[in-house]
Amino acid sequence: MLAMSWKSVMFIVLIGLVVNWYLDTPLPDDMQEKWKVRLIDAGMRTYGHLQRFLVVVGLLDPFSPLDRWLVDVFVTTMTTGRPWVQRVDKALVIRDIFTTTNKIQMRMYEPKTSLHQNKRPVFFYFHGGGFSLMSIESYDALTRKLARESGVVVISVNYRLSPQNPYPTPLNDCLEAIDHVVSTSQELRIDTDRIAVGGDSAGGNLAASVSLRLKKKIRLQFLLVPVFQMFTYNTTSMISNRKYFSKTVNNLFQVVFWTNYIGCGNEYILDMIENKHTSPKLKNSEYSTYVDQERWMNRKYIEEKLKNKNLSQRTDFGFKETPFCFEERMLDPYICPLMANKQMLTDLPRAYVMTAGYDIIRDDGIMYAERLKDAGVSIDLVNHKTSFHNALTFVEGPLALSVAKQTIHGIVNYLHLHL
Ligand SMILES: *[C@@H]1O[C@H](CO)[C@@H](O)[C@H](O)[C@H]1NC(C)=O
Ligand SMILES: *[C@@H]1O[C@H](CO)[C@@H](O)[C@H](O)[C@H]1NC(C)=O
C-alpha cells in the first residue's frame, strides 16, 4: 500500500471529486434522507444522459419500445434493488388477465387472505410516467406492496401509451379494464359496489378522469401527486420548486408528456412554459377562474416568500388566438380535470388527494381538492411537505424512502376506512 503512487492518489481524489459533483444537486434544507434522494436524482439523470447519448448515436428513438424497456429496467432497479420483477409472492397470487376487445393487460394481485371470500373489494391502479413511459412492471413494487399491506385485490392496468396512442386511448383502456372486471365479477369474485381507483402523476389524472366518467359507480378515488391542468405554468409550486430536481422530475420540459397525450406536436413547448399558449381572451375567461390561486390555493401550503403576494395572473399577453388543438383539449375536463365546472364535480366519489411539497405540480392536486370540497365531495388532502414528485415509488430496496412507506400506510388506512 505504501507503494501507492502519486498518480493513483490523484486518480482517487479526482474520481471522488467527480462523484461528489455528480451527486451534488440542490435540495431544500428540510428534505429528509438527503443522501438517498441525491442518489435517486443522480440515477434518474444517468438514465437521461444514457438516453440522450443513444438517441444522438442513432441507437434509440424516444418513446420507442427499447426506450421504454430501458426506463423500466432503471426504475425497477432503483425501486427494488433488482433489475427484474419477481413473479412469486408468499402473500399473494399474481396473475395477468386481459380485456376482450383490445386485449388490455391487467396484473391482478390477490392477497391469499382474500381467497376464500366471494365478494371482494378491488383497487384499480393506474401507473405514472406522463402517459408515455413506465408500465405495470416498473410499478410492481408499489402495487404489490399495496395489495400485501391492505389485503385488498389490486389490479394494475397496462394502458397503452402516448405519443403512439394519444388521448382518448389511455383513458379508454382504463375504462375498458374496469368494464371487463365488472362484467366478469362473478368469476373473479369481485364486489362491484366496492371499486376504488387510483394512480400517481399521469395515473392520478386517469383516476380522476375515470371518476368523472363513472361517478358513483366508483366508491373511492386516490389522486397521488396528480397532474390536472395545462392552463397555467405560473402556479406557486412551479415558481418555488423548479429549482429542485430541475433535470429530472421537476424539469419544465416534461410538458412534452402533455403534447404527447393530446397529440399536438412539440412546437409549442416553450410557449406553454411561458404561458403564451393561452390567449388574453382565454386568460380572462371562466376557465381561468377554475385555476385561480387567489381562490383555490390555501396559503398554508405556499412558501414564505410568496405567501403575502397577490396570486392573480397577468391576462394581457399570449398568442392572439389559442392554437386550436390546445384550446379544444386543454379545456376538456376528461383530459384536464381542473377544467371541469362545479356542476360536473358535484357527484364524484370520495377522494384521497396526496401531494408532495417540492413537486412542481403540487398545486394541481391542492386546487382540485379545494374545488371538490367546494362542490360538496368528501375529500382528504395530505401534503407531504418535504417530499418530491416520485418519492412514493421508492417502497423497497436500498433507496427505500420513509415517505413512501408513509404514503402506502395512508392509502391502506383509507382503503380500510372507506372501501
Ligand atoms: C389581486 O389582484 C387582482 C388583479 O390585479 C385584484 O382584482 C384583486 O383585488 C387583488 N386581490 C387582493 C386580495 O388584493
Ligand atoms: C406569476 O405569478 C405571480 C404570483 O404568484 C405574479 O406575481 C406574476 O405576475 C405572475 N406572472 C405572470 C406572467 O402572470
Side-chain angles (χ1 to χ4, degrees):
M1 285 309 282
L2 284 175
M4 199 154 81
S5 70
W6 66 273
K7 277 188 191 159
S8 2
V9 172
M10 285 293 283
F11 184 72
I12 290 168
V13 168
L14 201 66
I15 293 284
L17 285 173
V18 169
V19 168
N20 190 53
W21 164 79
Y22 194 69
L23 288 178
D24 194 20
T25 185
L27 290 178
D29 290 338
D30 59 357
M31 174 105 351
Q32 317 283 304
E33 301 180 278
K34 276 205 177 76
W35 274 102
K36 283 188 188 171
V37 177
R38 284 188 207 289
L39 285 165
I40 287 169
D41 192 62
M44 291 188 291
R45 276 184 283 133
T46 303
Y47 157 74
H49 296 315
L50 180 63
Q51 193 235 29
R52 275 189 296 279
F53 171 75
L54 292 175
V55 169
V56 167
V57 299
L59 287 174
L60 187 82
D61 289 320
F63 309 116
S64 61
L66 180 63
D67 186 19
R68 294 198 172 114
W69 176 83
L70 199 62
V71 173
D72 270 9
V73 170
F74 253 86
V75 172
T76 305
T77 307
M78 289 197 345
T79 54
T80 66
R82 287 173 260 103
W84 64 86
V85 170
Q86 278 179 325
R87 298 310 297 258
V88 291
D89 195 293
K90 272 205 293 268
L92 304 170
V93 175
I94 303 173
R95 61 179 162 129
D96 287 356
I97 55 177
F98 296 84
T99 64
T100 322
T101 319
N102 288 304
K103 308 280 178 281
I104 306 306
Q105 181 189 19
M106 292 172 268
R107 187 153 298 162
M108 189 166 177
Y109 300 84
E110 295 172 279
K112 288 186 177 161
T113 51
S114 79
L115 288 176
H116 64 281
Q117 294 167 282
N118 271 323
K119 290 194 114 194
R120 301 177 293 177
V122 63
F123 181 17
F124 286 91
Y125 197 87
F126 312 126
H127 66 78
F131 309 101
S132 303
L133 297 170
M134 313 278 213
S135 68
I136 57 175
E137 304 292 341
S138 38
Y139 267 71
D140 177 80
L142 177 65
T143 44
R144 181 188 296 247
K145 194 121 186 153
L146 284 170
R148 231 194 259 156
E149 308 224 335
S150 66
V152 172
V153 176
V154 171
I155 296 183
S156 182
V157 180
N158 223 16
Y159 57 87
R160 283 171 286 176
L161 300 174
S162 306
Q164 294 86 347
N165 302 282
Y167 176 83
T169 301
L171 175 59
N172 284 346
D173 287 355
C174 295
L175 291 164
E176 187 175 313
I178 296 173
D179 198 50
H180 177 85
V181 170
V182 167
S183 58
T184 54
S185 61
Q186 284 234 305
E187 181 190 322
L188 296 173
R189 291 178 293 117
I190 293 297
D191 182 352
T192 55
D193 290 332
R194 293 166 77 197
I195 298 176
V197 297
D200 62 297
S201 194
N205 174 292
L206 291 168
S209 300
V210 161
S211 302
L212 280 165
R213 282 289 183 80
L214 302 181
K215 302 267 173 162
K216 285 282 162 61
K217 286 181 193 144
I218 302 295
R219 172 83 66 102
L220 273 185
Q221 51 178 331
F222 289 88
L223 314 174
L224 315 171
V225 292
V227 58
F228 282 151
Q229 57 93 21
M230 55 181 125
F231 195 97
T232 171
Y233 286 90
N234 192 39
T235 58
T236 60
S237 55
M238 293 270 175
I239 297 169
S240 299
N241 295 332
R242 60 205 291 174
K243 57 184 173 290
Y244 308 120
F245 307 99
S246 61
K247 302 236 163 57
T248 57
V249 285
N250 283 355
N251 187 336
L252 291 173
F253 284 92
Q254 302 230 16
V255 296
V256 72
F257 290 142
W258 269 131
T259 56
N260 277 351
Y261 188 49
I262 63 177
C264 261
N266 294 340
E267 67 263 38
Y268 295 115
I269 284 183
L270 284 170
D271 303 313
M272 288 173 82
I273 292 172
E274 294 171 8
N275 269 354
K276 288 185 191 151
H277 61 308
T278 47
S279 64
K281 184 164 159 247
L282 202 55
K283 286 185 173 82
N284 281 302
S285 71
E286 188 179 350
Y287 290 103
S288 76
T289 66
Y290 299 157
V291 287
D292 176 8
Q293 298 215 294
E294 277 292 311
R295 175 137 188 228
W296 303 113
M297 194 62 205
N298 187 325
R299 285 182 191 256
K300 79 176 181 198
Y301 300 110
I302 300 179
E303 95 172 296
E304 232 34 73
K305 264 202 287 199
L306 294 175
K307 257 195 178 128
N308 300 316
K309 270 203 141 181
N310 185 329
L311 303 179
S312 292
Q313 298 293 301
R314 272 178 53 200
T315 57
D316 58 348
F317 70 104
F319 286 135
K320 249 209 187 91
E321 298 283 339
T322 303
F324 174 73
C325 78
F326 275 112
E327 174 142 2
E328 190 194 10
R329 301 192 171 97
M330 182 168 55
L331 306 180
D332 181 342
Y334 300 114
I335 299 177
C336 296
L338 264 169
M339 293 293 115
N341 62 27
K342 186 168 174 177
Q343 170 69 27
M344 271 188 91
L345 297 177
T346 47
D347 45 358
L348 289 179
R350 175 186 272 276
Y352 179 91
V353 182
M354 193 276 275
T355 56
Y358 293 117
D359 186 0
I360 47 172
I361 55 172
R362 174 197 68 200
D363 295 3
D364 283 22
I366 292 174
M367 291 194 288
Y368 196 61
E370 286 298 325
R371 291 204 54 217
L372 289 177
K373 194 160 80 181
D374 177 66
V377 177
S378 306
I379 60 125
D380 284 85
L381 170 61
V382 180
N383 178 53
H384 290 287
K385 190 167 176 289
T386 62
S387 185
F388 59 99
H389 184 64
N390 59 341
L392 82 163
T393 58
F394 293 86
V395 292
E396 59 176 60
L399 298 174
L401 297 173
S402 65
V403 69
K405 285 179 202 149
Q406 278 169 43
T407 301
I408 299 269
H409 194 68
I411 296 171
V412 166
N413 269 343
Y414 212 71
L415 284 167
H416 289 168
L417 271 173
H418 298 293
L419 187 61

